[in-house]
Amino acid sequence: MNINDLAIRYEEFKKSLNKHSEIQITDNKSIVLDGCRRVIEYNENCIRLELSAVAVSVVGMGLSMRNFNEGGIVIEGQIHSLTFISKEEL
């Protein structure tokens, strides 16, 4: 087994451990997401993230994003909607 195969297996193993995500919404001003795998789209009006089981799309105005830990994201701004997207639709 070479190093690339080992790295791929390790990443797959890490993904299998975290199968759930947590989302905390505070009014229409802040969303805290735990279990983020990757950022799909990011601009001031739309942020799309891949979570463990689904993806989410946050739409609003003046959106900004920051990390609070590995896999943890905080989105702030004027939030208009949060939509869940199946991974098959990505």
Side-chain angles (χ1 to χ4, degrees), residues 32-60:
V32 177
L33 299 111
D34 195 21
C36 180
R37 297 230 171 131
R38 73 181 172 112
V39 177
I40 300 167
E41 179 182 351
Y42 177 41
N43 63 59
E44 66 179 26
N45 298 317
C46 180
I47 298 176
R48 267 190 203 151
L49 305 168
E50 179 183 347
L51 304 179
S52 299
V54 297
V56 295
S57 176
V58 179
V59 175

